[in-house]
């Protein structure tokens, strides 16, 4: 076997080993809504917590969002409405929330949001623990 052929086999093996390692490596866990932020700053604050739930207040001035994160089952209430762009596994959509509107969710595997409107958007979220 020529030295060049052996070198090519070794290089190919290294590439294959590297590819397999990257496929088998566990992905980084996503942060929760409390831990996630925007450009290094948190957008949610912990208002209350018990063994069964926690309450977050999340504030999004215009142009501010929330990096990719997950939610357990939760209830959300818009203290101040506005227009948010939401990106998740189903795609990208723009949602206009009215002040005082609410929703509930069985949980969100992941999503990202950004305030694309002209007014601050403030949510109160009650998450199950």
């Amino acid at each position: 076997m020529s030295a060049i052929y052996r070198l090519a086999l070794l290089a190919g093996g290294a590439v294959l080993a590297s590819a397999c390692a990257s496929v088998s490596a566990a992905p980084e866990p996503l942060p929760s809504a409390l831990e996630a932020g925007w450009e290094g700053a948190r957008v949610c604050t912990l208002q209350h917590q018990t063994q069964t739930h926690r309450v977050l207040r999340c504030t999004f001035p215009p142009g501010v969002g929330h990096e990719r994160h997950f939610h357990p089952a939760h209830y959300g209430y818009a203290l101040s409405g506005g227009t948010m762009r939401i990106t998740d596994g189903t795609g990208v959509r723009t949602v206009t929330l009215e002040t005082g509107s609410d929703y509930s969710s069985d949980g969100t595997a992941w999503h990202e949001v950004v305030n694309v409107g002209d007014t601050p958007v403030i949510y109160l979220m009650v998450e199950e623990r």
Side-chain angles (χ1 to χ4, degrees), residues 6-125:
R6 278 194 304 261
L7 190 57
L9 283 176
L10 287 173
V15 169
L16 180 59
S18 175
C20 289
S22 66
V23 168
S24 64
E28 288 290 318
L30 289 175
S32 73
L34 180 60
E35 288 80 32
W38 183 255
E39 298 179 351
R42 287 195 178 177
V43 294
C44 296
T45 58
L46 181 62
Q47 301 296 297
H48 178 76
Q49 181 170 293
T50 69
Q51 290 195 353
T52 60
H53 68 277
R54 70 181 182 182
V55 180
L56 308 178
R57 180 185 174 109
C58 303
T59 303
F60 305 96
V64 171
H66 212 181
E67 67 192 17
R68 185 176 289 212
H69 62 282
F70 78 93
H71 288 278
H74 64 282
Y75 167 80
Y77 180 82
L79 296 169
S80 175
T83 306
M84 302 292 283
R85 184 177 60 229
I86 303 170
T87 304
D88 61 18
T90 65
V92 179
R93 64 191 177 284
T94 300
V95 176
T96 301
L97 302 164
E98 297 295 325
T99 297
S101 63
D102 66 341
Y103 69 95
S104 63
S105 169
D106 292 331
T108 304
W110 72 271
H111 73 173
E112 300 169 345
V113 301
V114 64
N115 181 348
V116 295
D118 299 326
T119 61
V121 174
I122 304 171
Y123 288 101
L124 192 63
M125 304 187 88

